Amino acid sequence: MLNQYKHVEVNYLPEMETAVWKIKTEGIPNFTLDGLREFTRFAEDLKIMFTDNSYPLKYLVSCSAHEEVYNLGGDLTFFLNCIKNKDEEGLREYAYLSIDAIYNIYTSFDLSAVSIALVEGNAYGGGFECAMAHDLILSNSKAKFCLPEKKFNLFPGMGAYSLLCRKLNFKTATEILYGGNVYSSKEMFDFGLIDRIEDEKVGIDAVKNYIEKIDRDYNFNHSHFQCLKKVFPLQKKELLEITNIWVDACLKMNISDLRRMELIVNAQNRKLKQTL
């Protein structure tokens, strides 16, 4: 079976031909540099395991170990330190590893499978981008979605532009990118970004319930998402070029911008303490 990881928990459900990978974090539930480095190894292990026909695979599902948070996205404390120290190399490593992760998810890790994000808590920033990289998004009514980067004069640089502008009309995509607003799962469903709101069951039961509903049409669904990616192709080069702009923008942030970023970090830390 797959190796044990610190930041990812993996389970294979043979009766559903489904692999479930769960995001695990210590502290603020975000994507750390160590977590992204580990994700590269996890992605390679996943490809090796499921290239073997001993493990038939139809669905790849991501979810979170946190009940109230899918993922809060970028490691703002790491960003702050890099920006203050003019550490362009550190920012670029983080950005490139993020693109590797997003593109692996977008391409279903080069495996013949449909990817599903199970979002049962807040998906902010890079967490929202991660969810959007999947073929399908299953949510509950409590989940919230947001791209907050404009609040500190930055932009979401790990896939949001590429994914939103392919999935939505330009006006709606721009509204989400510019506004920094928090959206409910109902609003995301109405936009067409969420495929189903599932409140009857939670966790893996919600996934099983959903897959039972769509599995009869697996051949169509799998082919459908392959076709969409041909009609609206997304190359990794595009994602890297955009994230290079993000690195440059980080290094241009002023003291006021960084202060607003620090306020968000402080709010995240307070929220974390309340849950401990």
Side-chain angles (χ1 to χ4, degrees):
M1 199 59 185
L2 289 168
N3 295 331
Q4 295 299 308
Y5 308 96
K6 180 180 178 182
H7 303 278
V8 184
E9 178 184 317
V10 193
N11 291 288
Y12 176 59
L13 309 176
E15 73 280 6
M16 298 168 56
E17 299 182 36
T18 297
V20 180
W21 57 275
K22 184 178 294 186
I23 306 167
K24 297 194 303 181
T25 52
E26 295 178 355
I28 295 173
N30 57 18
F31 294 120
T32 64
L33 184 60
D34 285 344
L36 290 169
R37 287 170 175 163
E38 184 184 73
F39 195 89
T40 299
R41 180 166 61 86
F42 157 70
E44 291 304 315
D45 290 347
L46 197 71
K47 293 174 188 179
I48 292 169
M49 176 174 176
F50 288 106
T51 300
D52 183 346
N53 293 329
S54 300
Y55 298 98
L57 184 70
K58 293 168 74 174
Y59 301 97
L60 277 164
V61 179
S62 75
C63 58
S64 173
H66 294 266
E67 291 184 5
E68 297 184 0
V69 179
Y70 176 74
N71 196 273
L72 297 180
D75 186 344
L76 298 186
T77 300
F78 176 78
F79 296 167
L80 278 166
N81 290 334
C82 286
I83 293 166
K84 289 177 179 178
N85 294 313
K86 303 298 181 184
D87 182 5
E88 179 178 346
E89 183 178 337
L91 286 169
R92 202 170 302 279
E93 180 188 6
Y94 186 100
Y96 281 19
L97 287 171
S98 296
I99 296 306
D100 285 345
I102 288 291
Y103 201 68
N104 268 314
I105 296 166
Y106 174 77
T107 58
S108 296
F109 299 86
D110 293 326
L111 298 167
S112 182
V114 173
S115 62
I116 303 172
L118 173 63
V119 181
E120 297 185 291
N122 295 346
Y124 288 0
F128 189 7
E129 290 169 309
C130 176
M132 283 193 289
H134 293 71
D135 296 324
L136 295 163
I137 300 178
L138 171 62
S139 175
N140 64 22
S141 59
K142 296 185 296 183
K144 303 292 183 183
F145 301 80
C146 180
L147 294 171
E149 286 82 357
K150 195 186 176 190
K151 295 181 186 299
F152 41 85
N153 199 22
L154 199 57
F155 72 95
M158 282 71 168
Y161 274 82
S162 299
L163 295 165
L164 279 173
C165 291
R166 282 170 171 80
K167 291 175 179 284
L168 303 177
N169 65 69
F170 183 75
K171 182 177 182 297
T172 305
T174 302
E175 176 187 327
I176 295 172
L177 288 162
Y178 275 41
N181 298 317
V182 177
Y183 295 93
S184 68
S185 54
K186 176 62 167 57
E187 289 172 310
M188 290 286 102
F189 180 82
D190 290 342
F191 285 150
L193 274 177
I194 288 179
D195 299 277
R196 183 178 178 84
I197 299 173
E198 177 66 81
D199 276 326
E200 296 176 5
K201 299 183 184 297
V202 296
I204 194 60
D205 288 334
V207 174
K208 289 180 177 179
N209 190 48
Y210 186 51
I211 288 177
E212 285 175 1
K213 288 179 169 65
I214 67 172
D215 192 56
R216 184 178 66 84
D217 300 319
Y218 176 79
N219 188 50
F220 170 82
N221 289 329
H222 182 244
S223 301
H224 170 70
F225 291 116
Q226 286 182 307
C227 290
L228 286 180
K229 291 170 187 176
K230 298 294 184 184
V231 175
F232 304 105
L234 174 57
Q235 303 298 325
K236 192 173 182 180
K237 180 175 182 288
E238 174 183 320
L239 295 169
L240 288 171
E241 288 174 347
I242 291 174
T243 210
N244 280 331
I245 297 172
W246 178 85
V247 171
D248 292 342
C250 283
L251 296 172
K252 293 175 183 175
M253 294 174 72
N254 59 38
I255 294 175
S256 178
D257 300 333
L258 297 180
R259 178 56 185 155
R260 290 199 292 273
M261 187 185 286
E262 286 176 338
L263 290 173
I264 293 177
V265 172
N266 292 339
Q268 290 177 345
N269 282 320
R270 286 195 299 272
K271 179 69 174 177
L272 176 64
K273 289 178 181 177
Q274 291 171 4
T275 62
L276 294 178

